[in-house]
Amino acid sequence: MSEKIRTGIIGASINNGWASGTHIPAIQHLDEFELTAVGTSNMVSAKKSAEAFYADHGFDNMEELAQHPNVDMVVVSINVKEHYNAVKAVVPAGKPIYCEWPLGSNTDEALEMQEWIASAQLPNAIGLQARQAPAVQYVKDLLAEGYVGKVLSANLKISIDGMGGVGDKSSAYLFDRKVGGNLLTIVGGHNLDAFTYMLGDFTELSATNAQQFPEVELVDIQKVIKKTTDDQIMITGKLTNGAAASVHIQGGVKHQTGLTLEIFGDNGTIVLSAPASIQFGSHQLRGAGSTDNELRELTIPDAYYSAPHSLYNDSGIVLNMAQAYRKFAKDIQEGTTLAPTFSDAVKLHQLLDAVEKSAQTGERQFL
């Protein structure tokens, strides 16, 4: 491997807003990485994208990208329904893999993908970048240090305008349950992962899911499609520390209020808020310890920022992505497991399965 980790991104098209707005700027800010290859669905867009992102190579074949000698690591940043085939194509190259969340369209796919990685003993990371947010890591440590004392309860609520009754052609897949990318798996997955990362796992839960928008208007092509996904997700349960927990995630909210996480202990309180889903950053943090009379703004120590100083004023997704990449670089170079892995992804898939099963059967699930 060269001094820099030469990276190829499957899905790094100039038309892919996620890759171009998160992965690529994160890599460009890091000395550990160099973008050398992009993969898209056809050579015309591959060449244009490679030129736009100053990459040396463009590919319309995933295997060729993964096997190229100037690629040390492969990132999979495409529609979730294609993750399985992409990872399957990359594994034989024997190179580290970073895959976006959700790992697979379902748990069976995720389990198989995790087995491939384990058998090949490849460094791997899953795109659950909320764990790398300075605010999320700081809250995790505050709780471990006893800032609020014994945690009594934690309440998470989030509302977004998307994934309700309006979309466009590019987002139509979000309303098809079979694809595997929807409000529960994407928004629910990212937020539940950060929630349990900070507070501990669910030991039991009950869930109620609802669909308030049975149809979706795709405004750019003036088409109405049937919707097979839910836009209301409500979970109550208990955590490993004995705390009571509640989570409410809703899509299609016209005047959304973003995210609020309230953690109540017998000696204090922490409130984490954000204008959107937790993985996007821009977090605000308030707290009150045993000697405080009221909530006050909490300043996150510099130690929680591992990204370059050029991103310190960026409180959003690029900062979190860069911190995730920096940890994965260490995993690749030193054999650590600082970044969340495919195994973590499988565990999250299984948690979402428990939520769906409880909602479908009305039965409490014990994990």
Side-chain angles (χ1 to χ4, degrees):
M1 187 177 293
S2 64
E3 183 177 343
K4 289 193 174 187
I5 300 171
R6 298 168 298 180
T7 304
I9 303 180
I10 298 173
S13 167
I14 53 177
N15 300 316
N16 183 335
W18 181 253
S20 62
T22 58
H23 289 281
I24 291 172
I27 287 173
Q28 290 172 338
H29 278 86
L30 296 172
D31 293 334
E32 295 95 328
F33 294 92
E34 177 186 5
L35 180 66
T36 56
V38 300
T40 70
S41 58
N42 63 78
M43 279 305 299
V44 173
S45 66
K47 289 180 178 179
K48 286 183 178 180
S49 300
E51 183 179 356
F53 299 134
Y54 304 102
D56 294 332
H57 309 284
F59 296 92
D60 61 358
N61 181 287
M62 294 182 287
E63 290 90 343
E64 290 180 7
L65 181 151
Q67 295 285 352
H68 197 279
N70 289 343
V71 172
D72 301 319
M73 164 187 141
V74 180
V75 176
V76 175
S77 181
I78 50 180
N79 190 306
V80 61
K81 66 181 180 181
E82 301 296 338
H83 285 187
Y84 179 90
N85 289 332
V87 172
K88 188 174 185 178
V90 172
V91 167
K95 298 174 182 179
I97 302 175
Y98 182 118
C99 184
E100 272 297 347
W101 169 263
L103 179 55
S105 291
N106 52 61
T107 303
D108 287 343
E109 282 191 0
L111 279 165
E112 193 170 355
M113 294 157 79
Q114 193 275 328
E115 289 170 0
W116 297 338
I117 290 293
S119 296
Q121 297 182 325
L122 300 180
N124 59 95
I126 186 70
L128 292 169
Q129 64 276 354
R131 293 190 185 195
Q132 315 310 327
V136 170
Q137 294 203 338
Y138 187 38
V139 169
K140 179 180 175 64
D141 286 347
L142 285 174
L143 294 176
E145 294 164 5
Y147 179 83
V148 303
K150 177 184 177 182
V151 179
L152 305 176
S153 67
N155 310 311
L156 171 65
K157 60 179 181 179
I158 177 171
S159 61
I160 64 171
D161 58 351
M163 302 190 187
V166 179
D168 54 31
K169 184 179 179 181
S170 65
S171 66
Y173 75 96
L174 298 171
F175 309 102
D176 183 351
R177 184 183 296 271
K178 293 180 181 178
V179 172
N182 52 62
L183 185 70
L184 174 61
T185 60
I186 296 178
V187 181
H190 281 289
N191 284 274
L192 284 168
D193 182 70
F195 185 83
T196 54
Y197 177 71
M198 290 182 281
L199 287 149
D201 294 333
F202 279 89
T203 57
E204 56 184 278
L205 63 83
S206 294
T208 300
N209 295 346
Q211 184 194 79
Q212 304 290 14
F213 300 92
E215 295 182 335
V216 180
E217 180 186 2
L218 304 180
V219 293
D220 57 338
I221 58 174
Q222 298 182 329
K223 182 180 179 180
V224 175
I225 61 173
K226 289 185 177 180
K227 182 180 178 183
T228 58
T229 58
D230 297 311
D231 41 62
Q232 296 283 334
I233 301 158
M234 290 157 282
I235 306 165
T236 60
K238 292 182 180 179
L239 306 177
T240 51
N241 59 10
S246 67
V247 177
H248 184 190
I249 300 170
Q250 51 185 328
V253 177
K254 187 174 183 180
H255 302 293
Q256 66 274 11
T257 56
L259 174 144
T260 302
L261 169 62
E262 300 173 322
I263 303 170
F264 299 103
D266 59 359
N267 281 322
T269 300
I270 292 174
V271 179
L272 174 67
S273 56
S277 188
I278 198 163
Q279 75 272 23
F280 294 135
S282 300
H283 303 118
Q284 296 85 46
L285 190 60
R286 293 178 296 152
S290 58
T291 60
D292 296 314
N293 293 323
E294 58 184 23
L295 290 169
R296 60 183 176 86
E297 184 177 351
L298 297 180
T299 301
I300 303 169
D302 289 344
Y304 289 90
Y305 292 85
S306 62
H309 285 277
S310 56
L311 286 173
Y312 274 31
N313 292 325
D314 180 330
S315 59
I317 186 64
V318 177
L319 170 65
N320 299 341
M321 190 70 80
Q323 301 218 143
Y325 265 101
R326 180 151 275 177
K327 287 194 172 182
F328 192 39
K330 193 169 184 179
D331 292 343
I332 293 170
Q333 294 165 340
E334 301 180 19
T336 55
T337 52
L338 300 174
T341 65
F342 282 22
S343 292
D344 295 305
V346 168
K347 184 178 178 181
L348 183 55
H349 272 286
Q350 292 169 335
L351 173 60
L352 298 181
D353 286 348
V355 171
E356 285 214 278
K357 185 174 181 180
S358 177
Q360 291 169 359
T361 64
E363 298 175 353
R364 195 166 188 82
Q365 300 297 304
F366 295 88
L367 296 93

